């Protein structure tokens, strides 16, 4: 599915939830504890299915040995670059009085509570990976359809919560972070990619091309492979898969920092789909439109930036 159609289908699922929130019984249900419990269970199941998909992906397993170090370096560097650039941007805007809506002060919490969600999601991801890699169940299946079904169920739940939150669309559209987050993610990822390329002796154009997948491993890996670079395609595939997995663990932690919308940047292109339920759970309903907008901008940029940067000859 093209990025534009993906964005439309995501918006459609959220819009369905918004419409359902107008039903009195469903509107009341969205503010109850069972609603939160069901949503958390669906999210955990989706993360486990993602681990299952990774365990069943031959390309990822095949490239893990020979290209694993380069992939890990690029995943960590692009994630770090994104967080550093966005932190500087948020801090500069706060210091200049340009906005105070994204920073927030959290009460002190116990470490066990702070790490609860990341450890749960990491455990579900690992369990799913081991099941996909070791167990001969459902041969030929990689969990993709299951993930898609759970994702759209969560998007409807997000729409339900958004519809009863009282947030006004006009306020979101004028939010100072609407473009700051995707632009900061792009520049931070490219800077991190350049640093990783220098460390691994990869030419700058190819390194920035690797970094411009923003977590969308299936598309960026395919593009680089078709550009007559199967080795870089494998690195792109695995590094963006690792970046997506890192985001799932980091988002609950970043949401409790001084700048909680760092979690949206960490999600990269997946902030409009796979990471969106986790971002909404930890950052609140205000983050949903910003997250969809950021993920949409990044997803639309991948098909252009990957081949463009690869061919610039640096």
């Amino acid at each position: 599915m093209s990025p534009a159609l993906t964005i439309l289908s995501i918006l459609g699922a959220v819009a369905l939830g918004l419409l359902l929130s107008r039903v009195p019984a469903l509107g009341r249900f969205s503010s109850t504890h069972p609603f939160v419990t069901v949503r958390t269970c669906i999210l955990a199941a989706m993360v486990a299915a993602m681990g299952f998909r990774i365990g069943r992906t031959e390309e990822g397993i095949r490239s893990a040995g020979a290209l694993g170090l380069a992939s890990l370096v690029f995943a960590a560097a692009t994630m770090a670059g994104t967080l550093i650039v966005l932190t500087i941007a948020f801090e500069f805007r706060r210091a200049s009085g340009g906005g105070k809506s994204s920073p927030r002060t959290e009460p002190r919490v116990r470490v066990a509570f702070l790490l609860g969600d990341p450890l749960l999601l990491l455990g579900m991801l690992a369990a799913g990976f081991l099941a996909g890699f070791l167990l001969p169940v459902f041969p030929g299946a990689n969990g993709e359809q299951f993930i898609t079904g759970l994702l759209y169920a969560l998007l409807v739940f997000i729409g339900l919560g958004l519809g009863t939150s009282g947030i006004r669309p006009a306020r979101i559209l004028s939010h100072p972070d609407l473009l700051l987050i995707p632009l900061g993610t792009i520049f931070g990822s490219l800077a991190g990619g350049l640093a990783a390329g220098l460390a691994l002796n990869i030419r700058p154009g190819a390194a920035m091309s690797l970094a411009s997948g923003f977590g969308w491993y299936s598309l960026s890996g395919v593009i680089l492979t078709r550009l007559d670079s199967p080795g870089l395609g494998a690195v792109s595939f695995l590094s963006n898969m690792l970046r997506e997995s890192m985001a799932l663990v980091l988002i609950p932690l970043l949401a409790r920092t001084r700048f909680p919308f760092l979690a949206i940047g960490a999600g990269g292109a997946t902030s409009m789909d796979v990471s969106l339920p986790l971002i909404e759970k930890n950052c609140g309903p205000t983050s949903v439109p910003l997250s969809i907008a950021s993920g949409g901008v990044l997803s639309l940029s991948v098909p252009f930036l990957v081949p463009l940067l690869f061919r610039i000859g640096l």
Side-chain angles (χ1 to χ4, degrees):
M1 188 182 294
S2 69
L5 286 177
T6 300
I7 294 169
L8 288 175
S9 64
I10 289 168
L11 291 174
V14 175
L16 176 60
L18 286 169
L19 289 174
L20 292 174
S21 70
R22 296 180 177 273
V23 178
L26 291 176
R28 289 192 297 271
F29 174 66
S30 66
S31 60
T32 63
H33 182 68
F35 175 85
V36 176
T37 302
V38 171
R39 188 180 61 179
T40 301
C41 289
I42 296 175
L43 176 61
M46 188 180 75
V47 172
M50 289 172 61
F52 184 87
R53 178 183 61 187
I54 296 171
R56 281 293 171 90
T57 305
E58 291 183 9
E59 185 175 357
I61 300 299
R62 205 169 44 239
S63 60
L67 304 172
L69 177 60
S71 301
L72 182 60
V73 169
F74 267 93
T78 54
M79 179 68 77
T82 294
L83 298 181
I84 290 170
V85 168
L86 283 176
T87 299
I88 293 171
F90 287 149
E91 186 63 49
F92 177 79
R93 184 167 56 76
R94 186 194 66 82
S96 63
K100 299 180 180 178
S101 54
S102 62
R104 71 181 182 191
T105 302
E106 287 286 345
R108 290 187 176 273
V109 293
R110 294 194 304 269
V111 173
F113 177 80
L114 185 66
L115 296 177
D117 276 353
L119 290 176
L120 169 65
L121 295 174
L122 186 61
M124 296 301 293
L125 190 71
F129 173 81
L130 291 174
F133 182 61
L134 298 175
L135 300 181
V137 294
F138 308 117
N142 64 2
E144 189 69 38
Q145 291 78 13
F146 188 55
I147 293 170
T148 301
L150 291 174
L151 171 61
Y152 281 98
L154 281 170
L155 291 173
V156 173
F157 270 62
I158 287 171
L160 272 171
L162 194 61
T164 56
S165 66
I167 294 173
R168 297 182 220 172
R171 182 183 169 192
I172 298 299
L173 291 175
S174 63
H175 200 289
D177 294 341
L178 189 65
L179 289 178
L180 179 63
I181 295 172
L183 290 177
T185 302
I186 290 173
F187 287 115
S189 296
L190 295 182
L194 276 174
L198 287 173
L200 298 170
N201 198 27
I202 297 174
R203 66 179 180 87
M208 289 192 293
S209 181
L210 279 169
S212 56
F214 309 121
W216 193 357
Y217 58 85
S218 56
L219 181 62
S220 57
V222 168
I223 292 174
L224 279 171
T225 300
R226 289 178 177 174
L227 288 171
D228 199 26
S229 184
L232 286 180
V235 173
S236 176
F237 181 89
L238 188 56
S239 65
N240 281 288
M241 186 179 283
L242 288 170
R243 176 169 175 163
E244 179 186 70
S245 301
M246 287 179 182
L248 294 175
V249 178
L250 289 174
I251 285 169
L253 299 175
L254 293 170
R256 292 182 172 90
T257 64
R258 188 177 187 179
F259 302 113
F261 288 167
L262 286 172
I264 299 176
T270 70
S271 64
M272 74 171 185
D273 45 48
V274 172
S275 301
L276 179 59
L278 192 58
I279 291 169
E280 187 271 342
K281 178 185 176 185
N282 289 277
C283 296
T286 306
S287 66
V288 173
L290 295 174
S291 192
I292 293 176
S294 178
V297 169
L298 294 171
S299 296
L300 289 170
S301 71
V302 171
F304 300 100
L305 285 179
V306 172
L308 176 66
L309 294 171
F310 182 80
R311 289 188 174 118
I312 61 176
L314 294 177

